[in-house]
């Protein structure tokens, strides 16, 4: 039987992992924050002491860019996000295409979730995915619930057509538990 | 009805159609129940020349199946292990509640577990105390049955790691505790086995067995045999390497450990190993039937049921699916996944193995319950092990040798055509085999199978096996699975839907001697609860909407139903209380793979959510909500 299992897909992912693992070796001893995703830049609750802070530094270029989002879509598969979250409908992990966010639905929140992991079973990918790719994945996750501009969202899935394309997803209005989402970050 | 034209009309009870070694059972007519026939047309796809032939004469000598005597002692009113006895009959000899009075059954008391995930466990009852284990966080509660309202006697919180929730493929379930010699044994989601004193709830020992960072969890119910606690791992969707281990019940130290893949020494295959079929013979097949090193992440976990025959001194257990699901990534038979082992409980050494699904194509874990029954086959009584498999066939094997005596379809199948009893081979339908880059449509049964883990029950009074099962089919698209430790290793996208007829569940009463359905009842939702049968000639089971039902075990007529607070996926039991009266108990609390759409609040707009199960039961969200609650029922004068 011909074995298609050593395809470019897994090789590429392996390479990414290897490179990323080297990065970690260099970075970890100083414990430096990764990018600007440190605790200071991220809000996880919807309660503020005093006035709400202005939004953190923007990585909006990822959300408006069709190339980054389609890269993010590939990486979402390669890093096995889809094996726990399906094509956004959820499985072991919660759905990512709906209007509910436990840890926040902004680009920064999702970036932080991917790097830090979350206590009830979301693995930390810190040191495993290069910084720019984390932003790309986060932008793609945003497209799952229609948060990215239609023109930039992926239009056709190569899966068994399990759900409407990201482009055709109605924009979900993040509900109460979504810090900063609707008010500070969410609107285009 | 069969859609095979005139020959169907010629058929009557006791005859069956044979084609290429495949038997298609005929249903025996029952009075006032829906008689559901197998969709013969589907099975016959590859079998156009099938002709009706008279059944062998011995079928007429209607002997009855009985449970293996040494494995089914007289009922003492307790319920000390999930299967009720080592034969796994789930039969209670209590008969105070019976077909005549069951319509008066009422709630005696309830107890909230405070846990929202799927409750797959049975309560246990030992001498006036009831024990309940919850899904993650795996709390253990002891209720005092001697006092009014059964107040809490003690509770035990094992505090498993929260991260374990991320590596549980199909909800954070637990399938039950086990009791022996004054001790209770539970497994925790994060891979521990813990012993506590049954009287006080004091922890006696705990042994860490699994590593969640490799994707290992434990969800199965342990079984205690001859002072050893038998425990196996879960994680077949994470590229773990499956094993079954035996712990000393007194100390928790490991007595032996048998892997499901790898060299013979690891699998505990040695001089005792005498399989029936040639296909199970050879050196280190657990290595050589895989691409290089694939066996190290090849699955074959042992998360299902174990039975024990004290007379033959053999335990029986299954091994789950190989990983990843994408079969093209693992050419070969993928030993010793997808099969049944008989082992010596003292040493763990294998006696025989039968691979039900060599090179599994569809996630067909071979871990379902194993009923130890003695029954007439070709005129002679045989010691058998009977199992309704995920692949849709009900297998009867000689439990001393591993020979397949029969394998009959009990549900809609179009992905295989039958089992050759000479070679033990399962004949697959090429057109339904997954191929990379192709969507293969309408495969029956699905990945969770014609029937998943939820166990059947056997009544020695009726001679029938009561099988709670499903009627679903699926579309499948293979993809390249990528191994990253601690994340799933699957490589397939699946979408499920209702099978022929449109109903999604079915309760079939199966006669293992006639090799045919006696009667069956259709259910709207897939059945994910276990079955219980009693000497009152009753059959109990629950539905995913939350109905708890009592049927006449002889006819299938529904006699009573009660709506619980959530969907039922637990295992009902019956016991004799300290007051001498009969009680029936079940945990309500939807979840599991089938109920993930509710407990995980999944979005069924994505047909692949919950590995394809969410869309098939999307309407469940409008029928029930989550939450664990114990319900105990009794006749009214007893309260």
């Amino acid at each position: 039987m011909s074995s298609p299992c050593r395809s470019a897909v897994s090789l590429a992912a392996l390479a990414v992992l290897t490179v990323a693992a080297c990065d970690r070796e260099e970075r970890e001893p100083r414990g430096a924050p990764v990018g600007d995703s440190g605790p200071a830049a991220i809000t996880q609750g919807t309660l503020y002491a005093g006035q709400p802070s202005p939004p953190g530094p923007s990585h909006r270029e990822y959300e408006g860019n069709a190339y980054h989002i389609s890269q993010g879509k590939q990486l979402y598969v390669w890093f096995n996000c889809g094996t726990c979250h399906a094509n956004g409908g959820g499985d072991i992990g919660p759905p990512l295409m709906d209007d509910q966010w436990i840890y926040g639905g902004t680009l920064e929140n999702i970036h932080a979730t991917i790097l830090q992991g979350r206590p009830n079973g979301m693995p930390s990918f810190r040191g495993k995915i290069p910084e720019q790719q984390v932003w790309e994945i986060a932008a793609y996750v945003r497209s799952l619930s229609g948060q990215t501009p239609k023109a930039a969202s992926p239009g056709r899935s190569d899966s068994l057509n399990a759900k409407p394309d990201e482009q055709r997803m109605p924009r979900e209005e993040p509900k109460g538990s979504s810090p900063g989402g609707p008010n500070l970050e969410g609107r285009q | 009805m069969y859609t095979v034209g005139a020959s169907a009309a010629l058929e009557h009870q006791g005859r069956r159609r044979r084609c290429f070694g495949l038997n298609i059972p005929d249903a025996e007519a029952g009075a006032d129940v829906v008689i559901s026939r197998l969709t013969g047309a589907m099975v016959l796809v590859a079998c156009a020349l099938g002709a009706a032939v008279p059944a062998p004469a011995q079928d007429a000598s209607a002997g009855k199946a009985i449970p293996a005597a040494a494995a089914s002692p007289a009922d003492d009113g307790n319920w000390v292990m999930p299967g009720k006895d080592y034969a796994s009959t789930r039969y209670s000899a209590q008969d105070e509640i019976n077909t005549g009075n069951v319509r008066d059954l009422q709630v005696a008391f309830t107890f909230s577990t405070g846990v929202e995930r799927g409750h797959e466990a049975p309560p246990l009852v030992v001498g006036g105390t009831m024990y309940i284990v919850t899904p993650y966080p795996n709390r253990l509660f002891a209720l005092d049955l001697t006092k009014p309202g059964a107040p809490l006697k003690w509770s035990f919180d094992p505090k498993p790691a929260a991260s374990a929730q991320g590596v549980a493929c199909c909800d954070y379930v637990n399938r039950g505790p086990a009791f022996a010699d004054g001790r209770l044994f539970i497994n925790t989601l994060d891979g521990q086995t813990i012993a506590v004193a049954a009287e006080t709830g004091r922890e006696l020992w705990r042994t860490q067995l699994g590593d969640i960072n490799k994707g290992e969890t434990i969800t199965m119910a342990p079984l205690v045999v001859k002072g050893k606690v038998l425990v196996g791992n879960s994680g077949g969707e994470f590229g773990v390497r499956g094993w079954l281990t035996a712990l000393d019940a007194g100390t928790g130290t490991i007595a032996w450990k048998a892997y499901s893949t790898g060299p013979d020494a690891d699998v505990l295959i040695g001089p005792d190993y005498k399989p029936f079929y040639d296909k199970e013979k050879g050196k280190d097949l657990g290595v050589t039937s895989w691409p290089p090193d694939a066996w190290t992440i090849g699955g074959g976990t042992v998360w299902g049921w174990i039975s024990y025959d004290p007379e033959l001194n053999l335990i029986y257990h299954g091994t789950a699916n190989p990983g990843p699901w994408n079969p093209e990534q693992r050419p070969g038979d993928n030993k010793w996944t997808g099969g049944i082992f008989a082992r010596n409980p003292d040493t763990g050494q294998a006696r025989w193995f039968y691979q039900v699904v060599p090179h599994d194509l569809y996630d067909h874990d071979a871990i379902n319950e194993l009923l130890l029954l003695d029954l007439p086959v070709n005129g002679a009584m045989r010691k058998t092990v009977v199992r309704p498999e995920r692949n849709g066939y009900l297998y009867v094997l000689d439990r001393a040798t591993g020979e397949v005596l029969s394998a009959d379809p009990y549900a809609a199948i179009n992905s295989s055509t039958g089992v050759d009893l000479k070679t033990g081979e399962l004949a697959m339908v090429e057109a339904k085999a997954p191929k990379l880059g192709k969507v293969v449509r309408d495969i029956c049964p699905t990945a969770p199978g014609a029937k998943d883990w939820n166990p059947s029950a056997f009544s020695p009074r009726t001679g029938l096996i009561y099988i709670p099962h499903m009627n679903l089919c699926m579309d499948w698209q293979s993809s390249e699975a990528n191994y990253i430790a601690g994340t799933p290793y699957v490589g397939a996208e699946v979408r499920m839907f209702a099978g022929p007829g449109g109903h999604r569940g079915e309760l079939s009463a199966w006669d293992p001697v006639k090799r045919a359905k006696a009667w069956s009842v259709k259910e709207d939702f897939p059945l994910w609860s276990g079955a219980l049968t009693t000497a009152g000639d009753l059959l109990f089971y629950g539905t995913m909407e939350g109905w708890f039902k009592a049927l006449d075990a002889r006819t299938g007529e529904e006699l009573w139903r009660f709506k619980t607070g959530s969907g039922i996926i637990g295992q009902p039991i019956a016991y004799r209380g300290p007051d001498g009266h009969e009680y029936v108990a079940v945990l309500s609390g939807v979840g599991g793979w089938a109920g993930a759409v509710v407990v995980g609040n999944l979005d069924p707009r994505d047909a692949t959510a919950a590995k394809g199960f969410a869309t098939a039961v999307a309407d469940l969200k409008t029928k029930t909500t989550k939450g664990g609650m114990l319900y105990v029922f009794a006749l009214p004068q007893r309260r």
Side-chain angles (χ1 to χ4, degrees), chain A residues 5 78 80 87 89 159-160, chain B residues 477 480 482 487 493 603 606 608:
Chain A
C5 68
W78 290 355
N80 287 354
N87 289 299
S159 74
L160 80 169
Chain B
Q477 183 176 34
E480 191 69 33
N482 190 13
T487 73
E493 292 199 314
D603 195 325
D606 173 5
T608 62

Side-chain angles (χ1 to χ4, degrees), chain B residues 102 105 505 507 521-525 527 529-533 538-552 556-564 568 572 584 586 633:
Chain B
V102 68
L105 208 57
L507 189 295
V521 185
K522 290 174 180 156
E523 288 286 349
D524 183 15
F525 283 95
L527 286 182
S529 96
L532 159 72
T533 181
L538 294 170
L539 163 68
F540 292 90
Y541 67 94
T543 72
M544 293 194 71
E545 303 104 300
W547 288 109
F548 189 47
K549 298 185 175 181
L551 271 52
D552 184 321
E557 184 193 351
E558 185 178 312
L559 301 176
W560 173 86
R561 59 160 74 187
F562 180 89
K563 187 74 183 290
T564 66
I568 298 176
V584 175
V586 70
F633 301 92

Side-chain angles (χ1 to χ4, degrees), chain A residues 41-54:
Chain A
I42 305 295
T43 310
Q44 280 192 16
T46 46
L47 271 181
Y48 296 90
Q51 292 299 308
S53 314

Side-chain angles (χ1 to χ4, degrees), chain B residues 372-437:
Chain B
L372 307 188
L373 306 178
D374 295 351
L375 54 91
V377 176
N378 296 333
M381 282 302 271
R382 301 286 289 260
K383 295 179 197 301
T384 74
V385 50
V386 177
R387 176 150 87 177
E389 276 291 349
R390 216 140 137 160
N391 67 9
Y393 298 89
L394 183 127
Y395 286 75
V396 179
L397 281 77
D398 183 314
R399 69 175 180 272
T401 64
E403 176 188 5
V404 181
L405 303 174
S406 62
D408 300 308
Y410 64 91
I413 305 172
N414 67 9
S415 52
S416 63
T417 53
V419 180
D420 182 329
L421 302 183
K422 288 232 163 51
T423 60
E425 297 282 1
L426 174 65
M428 307 305 294
V429 173
E430 184 58 28
K432 298 292 180 184
K435 292 270 174 329
L436 197 63

Side-chain angles (χ1 to χ4, degrees), chain A residues 1-7 9-10 13-14 17 77-80 82-95 97-100 118-123 125 144 158-164 169-170 172, chain B residues 117 136 162-170 172 238 292 327-329 331 359 436 439 441 475-477 480-484 486-491 493-495 596 600-611:
Chain A
M1 186 183 290
S2 83
S3 167
C5 68
R6 296 290 162 251
S7 78
V9 175
S10 41
L14 258 177
L17 279 176
V77 174
W78 290 355
F79 284 103
N80 287 354
T83 59
C84 281
H85 295 281
N87 289 299
D91 189 337
I92 295 168
M97 64 196 280
D98 64 4
D99 57 3
Q100 282 185 53
R118 295 299 176 211
N120 297 312
M122 168 70 193
F125 285 84
L144 288 169
D158 51 4
S159 74
L160 80 169
N161 258 332
K163 66 168 183 60
M169 278 303 290
E172 299 289 343
Chain B
R117 287 287 172 151
Y136 170 89
S163 295
Q165 295 167 92
V167 282
C169 79
C170 314
Y172 329 137
F238 285 79
E328 291 172 277
Q329 280 179 261
H359 184 65
L436 197 63
V439 178
R441 296 196 191 274
D475 296 341
W476 175 296
Q477 183 176 34
E480 191 69 33
N482 190 13
Y483 181 76
I484 303 175
T487 73
Y489 184 52
V490 173
E493 292 199 314
V494 173
R495 152 170 64 198
N601 195 19
L602 304 187
D603 195 325
R605 285 177 297 175
D606 173 5
T608 62
K611 298 171 192 69

Side-chain angles (χ1 to χ4, degrees), chain B residues 500-512:
Chain B
H503 57 291
R504 289 166 288 185
E506 188 168 339
L507 189 295
S508 293
W510 184 272
D511 185 329

Side-chain angles (χ1 to χ4, degrees), chain B residues 131 154 182-184 195-204:
Chain B
Y131 302 96
W154 53 257
R183 296 188 174 91
L184 275 166
V196 303
E199 197 47 40
T200 61
R202 189 170 54 87
E203 180 175 325
L204 301 172

